[in-house]
């Protein structure tokens, strides 16, 4: 069987093409299940232990994003129960929790969707980094993602996992930072280390930053342009307050660095050098308007 992928023509997967505003919109709640594989092209087709299959199906049914995970380079079966992690990227303070359960009935996914930590899991303070290495989905994800996962795991042992498809094969290698759901694409090893270090310090790096999952793509673009304009890199330092769309054009009001901005963005399409292997075209966004609405206010000095 020939796997989908490309021969890495110039500009493909190198970070030369824009990746902004491409994080997976539907990934708001997460279920990570350790399963060493093999992984079929799609989760629905994977031959999974019955308990893992039940968890994946339940997650899909209620809008939770399921991901199969495994330690970089490890293919040994999991013993002693089902190792799971759950995350809420939509909370005011996103969180990540972990547990080992005897079976699917021991994990309350409805609680996760309600924003509550399931009783079978314990909150963890350290972030998790997912690198897509799903070869049967796209060969490039494994060809670039596998060495990236292994090198990042040497720097951050126990925090890095290989994972199944996260969305966006054309942006391989893909890195996802949880619990906030930050997506990076076209990652080199140096770029991945820089992104992970920034996230552990509560910041993003704009280099190869795809956006934050769970947010519509035009709003990811609006946040990106405000970050680029203001230099605000803290994870929670930029947020869309309101938005409206008129055809393909989106107007958003965005808070960043203590200032409000009116941002107008439009989609644009670029030809991908991969041709039809990974993607024939790449859709990104261009900035139409960025207006500062409120000036920076300084405290009035007290005269004595």
């Amino acid at each position: 069987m020939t796997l989908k992928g490309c021969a890495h023509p110039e500009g493909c997967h190198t970070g030369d093409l824009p990746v902004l505003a491409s994080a997976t919109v539907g990934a708001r709640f997460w279920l990570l299940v350790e399963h060493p594989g093999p992984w079929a092209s799609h989760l629905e087709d994977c031959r999974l232990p019955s308990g893992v299959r039940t968890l994946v199906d339940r997650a899909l049914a209620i809008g939770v994003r399921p991901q199969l995970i495994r330690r970089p380079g490890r293919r040994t079966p999991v013993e002693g129960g089902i190792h799971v992690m759950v995350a809420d990227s939509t909370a005011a303070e996103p969180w990540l929790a972990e547990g080992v359960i005897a079976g699917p009935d021991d994990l309350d996914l409805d609680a996760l969707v309600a924003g509550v930590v399931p009783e079978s899991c314990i909150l963890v303070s350290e972030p998790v980094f997912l690198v897509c290495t799903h070869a049967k989905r796209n060969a490039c994800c494994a060809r670039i993602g596998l060495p990236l996962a292994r090198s990042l795991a040497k720097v951050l042992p126990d925090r890095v996992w290989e994972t199944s498809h996260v969305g966006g094969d054309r942006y391989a290698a893909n890195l996802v930072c949880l619990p906030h759901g930050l997506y990076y694409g076209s990652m080199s090893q140096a770029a991945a280390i820089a992104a992970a270090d920034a996230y552990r310090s509560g910041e993003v790096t704009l280099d190869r930053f795809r956006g934050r999952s769970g947010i519509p793509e035009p709003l990811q673009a609006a946040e990106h342009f405000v970050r680029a304009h203001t230099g605000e890199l803290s994870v929670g330092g930029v947020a869309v307050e309101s938005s409206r769309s008129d055809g393909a054009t989106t107007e958003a009001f965005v808070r960043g660095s203590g200032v409000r901005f009116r941002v107008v963005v439009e989609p644009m399409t670029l030809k991908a050098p991969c041709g039809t292997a990974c993607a024939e075209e790449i859709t990104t966004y261009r900035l139409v308007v960025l207006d500062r609405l409120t000036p920076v206010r300084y405290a009035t000095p007290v005269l004595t």
Side-chain angles (χ1 to χ4, degrees), residues 4-15 17 138 140-141 143-144 168-173 186 270-282:
K4 178 183 175 185
C6 68
H8 296 296
E10 184 178 354
C12 186
H13 303 301
T14 62
L17 290 173
N138 188 293
C140 292
C141 292
R143 179 165 51 187
I144 316 171
D169 300 333
R170 68 198 66 180
Y171 305 113
S186 300
L270 302 175
K271 180 116 179 128
C274 300
T276 57
C278 284
E280 186 173 358
E281 296 178 333
I282 289 179

Side-chain angles (χ1 to χ4, degrees), residues 86-104:
V86 291
D88 181 355
S89 294
T90 66
E93 295 185 10
W95 53 263
L96 176 72
E98 184 174 22
V100 176
I101 58 175

Side-chain angles (χ1 to χ4, degrees), residues 20-96:
L20 67 93
S22 63
T24 301
V25 174
R28 303 171 69 240
F29 304 98
W30 299 78
L31 167 66
L32 315 182
V33 185
E34 186 173 358
H35 176 67
W39 300 340
S41 175
H42 293 76
L43 286 187
E44 303 94 298
D45 301 325
C46 287
R47 294 181 179 179
L48 302 172
S50 61
V52 175
R53 166 55 60 196
T54 299
L55 282 173
V56 168
D57 290 347
R58 285 180 182 172
L60 290 170
I62 62 174
V64 173
R65 175 85 185 191
Q67 297 288 146
L68 301 179
I69 60 172
R70 60 192 175 205
R71 288 294 185 193
R74 193 174 85 182
R75 298 293 185 271
T76 54
V78 179
E79 297 180 357
I82 305 173
H83 177 212
V84 299
M85 285 181 273
V86 291
D88 181 355
S89 294
T90 66
E93 295 185 10
W95 53 263
L96 176 72

Side-chain angles (χ1 to χ4, degrees), residues 281-299:
E281 296 178 333
I282 289 179
T283 298
T284 185
Y285 288 83
R286 73 181 187 94
L287 178 64
V288 180
V289 174
L290 195 156
D291 288 334
R292 186 189 186 109
L293 298 180
T294 55
V296 176
R297 287 189 169 90
Y298 298 96

